Amino acid sequence: MSKNVVVLDYGSGNLRSAQRAVERTGATVTVTSDFRQALDADGLLVPGVGAFEACMRGLRAVRGEQVIGRRLAGGRPVLGICVGMQILFEKGVEHGVETAGCDEWPGTVEPLDAPVVPHMGWNTVDAPADTRMFAGMDADTRFYFVHSYGVRHWVLETHSEKIRAPRVTWATHGQPFVAAVENGPLWATQFHPEKSGDAGAALLTNWVDTL
């Protein structure tokens, strides 16, 4: 049976590109801001482009942060992409303005420390060996990035042996930054899988296979 995925429409993100990319995995995809549909779907994809503050304002307007929180409380899969990943962190700082995020992970989204910004184009990532997100991919696989901000410091610590620590993937542009996180039902990528050709298609297929 085909899995049902909702692409959350909160006024930000490449909605149709994300829809088409996920549909190619065989999933049934709906683009909507409807709270109930987003809550009940097998998988929820949260896209995002532009400024952190604007994305959070749009997300709150459709109660998106509540949908994300309630889904994760019940172990229901969520995938954040680009700024859709950034808003999952505690806060973002842009042009000296601090904005509260969804606070699913501690940490701050801040300007990249690099000689050339934005970071635009293809780049490799350094993924943990046991991540499901990048299963079946070579170490030199490249993904497409477009961003000027990112999470440069991963601060969440897991001390319990009973809890699987988040699998954090890094990339480097000037300095290392978080490129992706796999944390139980919550997955996120700073890069754009929907723009990353075969590599992005493989990652989305890996995600849909977990639904």
Side-chain angles (χ1 to χ4, degrees):
M1 182 179 295
S2 176
K3 297 297 184 179
N4 172 32
V5 173
V6 160
V7 175
L8 187 63
D9 181 2
Y10 64 101
S12 178
N14 302 308
L15 302 176
R16 300 305 169 187
S17 295
Q19 178 184 15
R20 289 191 294 268
V22 178
E23 284 176 340
R24 285 193 285 272
T25 71
T28 300
V29 184
T30 303
V31 177
T32 183
S33 61
D34 183 81
F35 185 91
R36 179 51 59 181
Q37 288 188 62
L39 192 62
D40 291 344
D42 295 319
L44 177 67
L45 190 151
V46 182
V49 296
F52 188 102
E53 188 276 333
C55 285
M56 280 305 303
R57 189 173 353 107
L59 191 72
R60 291 192 181 100
V62 300
R63 296 193 294 160
E65 81 285 10
Q66 296 179 38
V67 171
I68 292 169
R70 285 179 60 175
R71 286 186 62 89
L72 295 176
R76 309 293 303 282
V78 175
L79 171 63
I81 291 176
C82 196
V83 184
M85 166 180 157
Q86 295 178 4
I87 59 177
L88 297 169
F89 284 85
E90 178 183 359
K91 61 185 176 181
V93 178
E94 295 184 351
H95 307 293
V97 177
E98 183 175 305
T99 303
C102 293
D103 202 16
E104 296 297 339
W105 296 310
T108 301
V109 178
E110 56 190 336
L112 294 177
D113 184 6
V116 178
V117 176
H119 173 213
M120 182 180 298
W122 297 85
N123 201 349
T124 57
V125 300
D126 182 13
D130 59 350
T131 177
R132 296 187 66 181
M133 186 183 294
F134 298 95
M137 302 185 207
D138 296 331
D140 60 354
T141 299
R142 293 178 177 269
F143 298 89
Y144 190 78
F145 292 82
V146 183
H147 63 120
S148 299
Y149 295 81
V151 176
R152 292 159 46 194
H153 307 283
W154 178 261
V155 297
L156 177 65
E157 296 184 7
T158 302
H159 299 287
S160 173
E161 294 181 357
K162 298 180 180 179
I163 299 175
R164 191 174 192 261
R167 271 37 184 176
V168 182
T169 293
W170 296 84
T172 299
H173 180 70
Q175 289 188 337
F177 64 88
V178 176
V181 183
E182 179 185 327
N183 185 194
L186 182 56
W187 289 22
T189 67
Q190 179 61 71
F191 53 83
H192 287 272
E194 79 280 11
K195 296 182 179 180
S196 295
D198 291 343
L203 185 149
L204 290 173
T205 297
N206 287 345
W207 179 63
V208 170
D209 285 347
T210 70
L211 304 182

